[in-house]
Amino acid sequence: MSLNNKATLFLVATPIGNLSEVSSRTLEVLNSVSVIACEDTRNTLKLLSHFDIHTKMITYHNFNEKDSTKGIISLLEKGEDVALVSDAGYPLISDPGYILVNEVIEKGFNITTISGPNAGINALVASGLETAHYLFYGFLNAKASQAKKELEELKNFPYTLIFYEAPHRIEKTLKLALDVLGDRKACLARELTKLHEEYHRGKLSELCELRDLKGEMVLIIEGYKEEDKEVDPEDLFDEIDELIDKGMKTKEAVKIISEKNGISKNTLYNAYLKKVD
Ligand code: SAM
């Protein structure tokens, strides 16, 4: 299986929920390597026990990446093959492994991949959004101000966007995406391959109405379209005035008009206040 006579690092994708998605090649490799480097031995042990695999495990995670890389290199130098896995899906995809892979390439050992599931791709293909071109972004920054900057950079990107998100941040992220990107089509894919798998498809404003979202989730958002081009806030003042004349509060009127026209609520509100001054 090796490309040269040196040892091999196997980058092995593992299930993102449903254990039946393990391939026979994955099991073969996890059985045959000398060591499995994993993020959390408790999680990987569940997988190994399910398939009666008894290969030795070592930890390789964000906090010991440099030290653990040295350890793995010395195993490869002794001719021992190593498999790198993460808790779910592909190692290196929003998971550790980048430092190790570069060091292994540098030292001239073999690297090969064992295919398997990836949450972003599963979500993308079922989202109903364009798949010909897409950008996998992974997690936005946990700080809202940073996340906003990141979304602003993506605002004019014409291809479908894939984000990973944690359940405790999803409501804020959806609101921020609506605010920065406008009211685009989106899909929130939850608990993929698991018992409670579900897809929420709709406009970002509709997804913002969802509450108590739990479990693991991927957010897919439509890319920039020509029709999304910047709306001049001034062009919308008449529509706001009409709603205010009907008795609506300014903030509410701005919210409705901003969502209808895919413009940031804050941008429109600030522009409108300046006009009133
Ligand atoms: N390496 C993984 C991959 O290849 O998909 C991703 C790991 S990342 C640390 C974990 C994130 O992946 C979760 O917060 C969630 O956004 C997404 N994810 C993982 N499993 C998922 C699942 N079963 N359903 C939906 N999203 C999932």
Side-chain angles (χ1 to χ4, degrees):
M1 209 179 257
S2 296
L3 305 173
N4 58 34
N5 60 1
K6 290 188 171 186
T8 298
L9 172 69
F10 292 87
L11 303 173
V12 183
T14 54
I16 55 169
N18 192 324
L19 293 187
S20 310
E21 294 194 341
V22 158
S23 73
S24 48
R25 186 167 185 228
T26 301
L27 298 179
E28 203 179 287
V29 167
L30 293 178
N31 253 315
S32 67
V33 291
S34 307
V35 169
I36 299 171
C38 56
E39 276 186 275
D40 183 334
T41 50
R42 286 163 305 181
N43 283 334
T44 301
L45 185 61
K46 282 184 208 150
L47 176 74
L48 299 189
S49 307
H50 186 84
F51 293 103
D52 198 24
I53 295 173
H54 302 280
T55 307
K56 184 181 163 200
M57 289 181 285
I58 56 171
T59 54
Y60 182 91
H61 48 66
N62 282 328
F63 309 106
N64 73 354
E65 248 186 302
K66 284 197 178 136
D67 283 345
S68 180
T69 291
K70 283 187 200 148
I72 293 172
I73 296 291
S74 60
L75 287 169
L76 294 168
E77 280 165 348
K78 285 184 206 148
E80 311 219 18
D81 290 339
V82 177
L84 176 68
V85 299
S86 67
D87 283 347
Y90 275 78
L92 279 87
I93 300 300
S94 296
D95 269 330
Y98 179 75
I99 294 176
L100 174 63
V101 165
N102 275 283
E103 195 65 18
V104 171
I105 292 170
E106 175 83 8
K107 297 272 193 279
F109 295 106
N110 299 301
I111 297 196
T112 190
T113 49
I114 307 297
S115 320
N118 163 257
I121 295 295
N122 277 35
L124 173 71
V125 296
S127 68
L129 298 174
E130 270 180 38
T131 54
H133 305 285
Y134 59 86
L135 174 86
F136 171 73
Y137 197 83
F139 289 99
L140 285 163
N141 198 290
K143 270 195 191 157
S145 57
Q146 235 359 79
K148 187 169 180 230
K149 272 191 200 151
E150 292 174 328
L151 284 170
E152 273 160 0
E153 277 170 20
L154 296 169
K155 194 173 172 177
N156 295 322
F157 190 78
Y159 307 132
T160 305
L161 304 167
I162 305 178
F163 298 99
Y164 284 165
E165 194 47 288
H168 65 278
R169 277 201 299 263
I170 190 66
E171 287 186 22
K172 281 190 183 145
T173 299
L174 284 166
K175 284 201 185 79
L176 192 62
L178 172 63
D179 225 24
V180 178
L181 304 177
D183 202 5
R184 299 187 187 181
K185 282 189 199 161
C187 172
L188 187 71
R190 256 183 16 88
E191 296 288 272
L192 294 164
T193 79
K194 303 184 198 175
L195 190 61
H196 299 293
E197 170 172 312
E198 65 176 2
Y199 299 89
H200 297 279
R201 300 182 185 87
K203 291 283 193 154
L204 277 171
S205 57
E206 291 164 335
L207 300 190
C208 280
E209 304 295 317
L210 297 168
R211 293 289 172 270
D212 294 326
L213 291 163
K214 296 197 174 69
E216 297 195 278
M217 53 194 74
V218 180
L219 175 61
I220 312 283
I221 305 181
E222 180 180 47
Y224 171 80
K225 298 263 173 301
E226 237 335 271
E227 311 87 83
D228 297 345
K229 66 179 174 297
E230 291 285 311
V231 180
D232 185 346
E234 278 192 30
D235 294 343
L236 305 175
F237 290 170
D238 286 349
E239 287 186 59
I240 297 173
D241 288 339
E242 257 177 52
L243 293 181
I244 293 173
D245 288 347
K246 284 183 188 153
M248 200 175 274
K249 292 224 164 76
T250 309
K251 271 200 171 160
E252 186 57 21
V254 167
K255 183 170 179 273
I256 289 172
I257 300 301
S258 66
E259 283 171 6
K260 185 176 148 207
N261 290 280
I263 179 172
S264 150
K265 190 174 62 196
N266 293 337
T267 309
L268 184 58
Y269 189 64
N270 292 336
Y272 187 77
L273 287 190
K274 269 191 201 146
K275 169 230 163 181
V276 177
D277 284 349

